[in-house]
Amino acid sequence: MSLPRVLTVAGSDSGGGAGIQADLKTMLALGVHGMSVLTAVTAQNSVGVQGAWELPVAAVRAQYRSVVDDIGVDAVKTGMLASAELVETVAELLAGTDAPVVVDPVGISKHGDPLLAASALDSVRTRLLPLATVATPNLDEVAQLAGVRVESEADLRRAAAAVLSYGPTWVLIKGGHLPGEAVDLLTDGTEELLLRAPRHDNRHTHGTGCTLASAIASQLAKGQSVPEAVTAAKEYVTGAIAAGFALGAGIGPVDHGWALRPPAGPGTPAV
């Protein structure tokens, strides 16, 4: 049996809800072989990030080469890269890899903790985003990267145009922080797709962005087009949000395995 191979280049979440841990759970649930390059270690739980330590550039480069040169890769997803030096190192590695790239420009955690140095923003704009098959910023990241404030669905196109100006092939502006339906805009500047989903009354949404980006990468690795991959990923993450569960004293994680087990009660999507 040969499974599509997907590589996540991201930070570790010790609480298991986001980061590398969420990525690998998503990949397992979607039937691909997940591999990882660790860029940073966080002390993190349901209430916040208590500490973060980036790995040396040499360690990141060695992990990447070890995996890609031997096993190969069908899609790559990037998450927390922490510093300008790491962003530029990862960009250099990606430039030599023939596989679609999903860039989740992680800047701030669910709890508002910074995960990307301000000095790294320019490197994300000029080195990383031009390599992206799909970039998946949320509204805070759009403001951080492009200076565009999105306050309504009508602002999504303006935000997408601003991010596309940095060079990604497609951009998915995630509108989950807007009131009403959870609406995202996918566009390459010509083709446009609005993806809508009901908003579930569930505060346990830790790891949503990591999960969505990893799901997109997984579907791209299976050979789907970008619109197909994003549509399937949106359906998967909507189910994971609906089934999100309490863990610790704060915001619990989405349920990455929701489609793999029988319904657990009201609010849990049917398989």
Side-chain angles (χ1 to χ4, degrees):
M1 181 176 66
S2 177
L3 296 176
R5 303 153 299 177
V6 184
L7 177 63
T8 170
V9 183
S12 168
D13 171 4
S14 56
I20 289 276
Q21 287 82 351
D23 298 339
L24 293 175
K25 292 174 187 177
T26 299
M27 293 168 192
L28 178 65
L30 294 178
V32 302
H33 176 68
M35 306 171 292
S36 63
V37 170
L38 203 63
T39 60
V41 175
T42 69
Q44 186 173 171
N45 55 27
S46 70
V47 297
V49 178
Q50 293 78 46
W53 301 266
E54 64 187 72
L55 267 67
V57 162
V60 171
R61 184 179 285 114
Q63 291 175 82
Y64 191 97
R65 291 265 60 94
S66 176
V67 170
V68 173
D69 293 348
D70 173 48
I71 300 171
V73 65
D74 297 304
V76 183
K77 175 259 179 180
T78 70
M80 177 186 177
L81 298 181
S83 69
E85 190 177 23
L86 284 178
V87 170
E88 291 170 11
T89 297
V90 171
E92 174 191 331
L93 293 164
L94 292 173
T97 304
D98 184 18
V101 177
V102 179
V103 172
D104 184 14
V106 174
I108 303 170
S109 78
K110 177 73 69 178
H111 306 91
D113 302 292
L115 298 176
L116 180 71
S119 59
L121 289 173
D122 193 54
S123 295
V124 172
R125 297 182 190 108
T126 62
R127 299 290 304 277
L128 190 62
L129 287 176
L131 300 172
T133 307
V134 191
T136 64
N138 63 27
L139 301 188
D140 290 335
E141 289 155 357
V142 168
Q144 188 180 40
L145 286 167
V148 175
R149 297 283 176 184
V150 176
E151 297 179 351
S152 69
E153 185 178 322
D155 295 327
L156 292 175
R157 285 190 184 89
R158 184 165 56 91
V163 178
L164 282 172
S165 72
Y166 297 122
T169 306
W170 291 82
V171 62
L172 177 68
I173 304 295
K174 300 179 294 191
H177 294 170
L178 294 174
E181 281 186 311
V183 57
D184 304 328
L185 173 64
L186 174 69
T187 181
D188 63 355
T190 302
E191 187 176 349
E192 183 178 287
L193 182 64
L194 276 172
L195 298 106
R196 300 180 184 277
R199 185 175 298 279
H200 295 286
D201 184 19
N202 186 356
R203 67 189 290 260
H204 301 301
T205 56
H206 186 49
T208 305
C210 305
T211 300
L212 179 63
S214 293
I216 295 170
S218 297
Q219 303 297 0
L220 290 175
K222 295 176 183 178
Q224 293 188 354
S225 68
V226 169
E228 290 170 338
V230 171
T231 299
K234 172 87 168 176
E235 292 173 359
Y236 169 74
V237 80
T238 298
I241 290 170
F245 55 92
L247 194 70
I251 300 172
V254 301
D255 183 356
H256 298 95
W258 68 269
L260 304 178
R261 63 176 66 94
T268 304
V271 174

